[in-house]
Amino acid sequence: MVYAGANSASFEAAGRDLKELAGLEIRSERVRRATLRHGQARCALARLLEEAFLDKSIPDQLGAGPADQPAPPLAVVMGDGGRYQLFDRATGKPASGSFWKESRVAVLLSMKTQRFSTDPNAQLPDFLKDVSIAKKLAAIGKVSGENLTRADQPVTAESPWQRPELLRKEVISSGKHWKAFGPMVASSAWYHGFFAAEEKVFVSDGSSAIEEMQAEWFSCFTSVLDLMHALSYSLAAARAIHGDGDPSWQCYCELATLIWQGKVDELLRVLDSHQAHLGDPPAEARDTDAREIVRRARVYYRNHRGRMNYPAYRKKGYPLTSSMMESTVKQVSRRVKGTEKFWSSDGGEAILRLRGDYLSESRPMDDYWKQRQMDANGFRSYSTSA
């Protein structure tokens, strides 16, 4: 019942799945109660483990791990946000008028990597000049990028650069704000031996909230800016500077090559030159103003220049993108996101916890059910009405 309630599209769909697959006639309301009850129990257990983690000394938090948990060869943490609708009847409609709220999702990737004496992919690959990739970058950067692509280039299905081997993926999801989500992720990472790993990497899109979480809880991790987000700003800047056509394409390739090769200072000099030619944006400039687009790109690269040493990352075999993070957010959102779905604070937190548990490859729910069976005493607890 709990598996169906946490993984089906809705509690009603869970009831239909149970009938079709297991021959069980169970009302959706009963599925809902069971799912949320055990989801809340999982949240309570996570809080106990988090409190035990926070009671440890800083050296133990940053450099140790459980004695029975081997550290992965390469520990990778990624974070991002999804969306769902929150509606607590006691508080009524939010002052903003919108029920939509951001969910927080993190993945812990145990990986195996290979080191290289030199950069194994020193030149910008054609894969990043591909039609499909350019459209992806345009979507990230919220610009139209169709005219910046060359239609004669084939779509490449595989990444052209060396990527680490994925051994195991763990998922943590919550409706808590980023400040509260940080220790939840750090606690889970500690219990999976991540802080004891020799190689530790934190990959994100550079948003301030995630960057603050990394600085506070994963300061001993090498911070890597997601390559696709870095390239999306170059695409937006190229189109802002030249409009459509070949000049835009050539400008994008020039900026993308500098990013790929980690030449951030040179990249900034090029953008500074274009900014000087266009002029500084006025205070009331719109987001679509070419001057403002170039200014934002310059600020973005200046803020993240210490996280863009991609040649060094490739030599160490680190991941360069957060694509696994994005796909995981979609898997979590499949259950909680929908215009017809509204969650209470407790209910939303319970279902997000279960979504993360069932998407985790260590199968934490197997241990949970075994422990529940061991703790069962044969007696039912009843509540008396007032």
Side-chain angles (χ1 to χ4, degrees), residues 18-88:
L18 289 168
K19 180 178 180 181
E20 183 69 21
L21 299 175
L24 298 174
E25 291 275 1
I26 303 176
R27 292 183 299 109
S28 61
E29 176 59 22
R30 186 179 174 192
V31 176
R32 184 190 71 84
R33 289 198 302 266
T35 302
L36 297 185
R37 180 171 67 253
H38 290 284
Q40 290 164 359
R42 291 293 299 160
C43 290
L45 176 59
R47 284 194 295 270
L48 290 175
L49 293 173
E50 180 183 333
E51 291 171 2
F53 165 74
L54 295 176
D55 283 341
K56 299 181 182 299
S57 66
I58 297 298
D60 284 343
Q61 289 181 0
L62 297 180
D68 60 346
Q69 179 64 54
L74 172 63
V76 180
V77 178
M78 301 180 184
D80 204 349
R83 301 279 286 173
Y84 73 112
Q85 293 194 98
L86 181 67
F87 180 33
D88 285 314

Side-chain angles (χ1 to χ4, degrees), residues 90-238:
T91 58
K93 193 172 184 179
S96 64
S98 174
F99 295 104
W100 288 104
K101 183 180 185 296
E102 186 180 19
S103 59
R104 277 77 186 184
V105 185
V107 293
L108 309 178
L109 306 176
S110 298
M111 309 188 88
K112 182 179 180 181
T113 189
Q114 178 182 356
R115 284 180 170 269
F116 302 90
S117 57
T118 59
D119 187 349
N121 303 100
Q123 301 303 315
L124 180 71
D126 289 339
F127 175 75
L128 294 175
K129 307 170 188 176
D130 191 280
V131 170
S132 60
I133 291 298
K135 289 183 177 180
K136 171 67 175 176
L137 297 178
I140 294 174
K142 302 295 189 296
V143 299
S144 177
E146 288 79 0
N147 294 321
L148 290 179
T149 64
R150 293 188 292 191
D152 60 333
Q153 291 185 343
V155 174
T156 305
E158 298 180 358
S159 172
W161 62 82
Q162 184 73 24
R163 296 188 298 179
E165 176 187 353
L166 177 63
L167 302 177
R168 194 173 70 183
K169 181 177 79 170
E170 306 299 320
V171 181
I172 307 99
S173 58
S174 172
K176 303 292 185 183
H177 55 79
W178 286 108
K179 276 289 186 183
F181 189 56
M184 292 173 61
V185 180
S187 170
S188 184
W190 191 90
Y191 287 108
H192 284 94
F194 272 43
F195 286 95
E198 292 186 9
E199 298 283 352
K200 300 181 282 286
V201 180
F202 191 102
V203 184
S204 76
D205 60 10
S207 66
S208 58
I210 300 178
E211 197 172 352
E212 289 173 6
M213 183 180 79
Q214 185 270 326
E216 183 173 3
W217 296 102
F218 298 93
S219 59
C220 57
F221 282 55
T222 299
S223 184
V224 175
L225 179 67
D226 173 65
L227 176 67
M228 304 305 285
H229 279 81
L231 291 176
S232 73
Y233 277 81
S234 68
L235 178 72

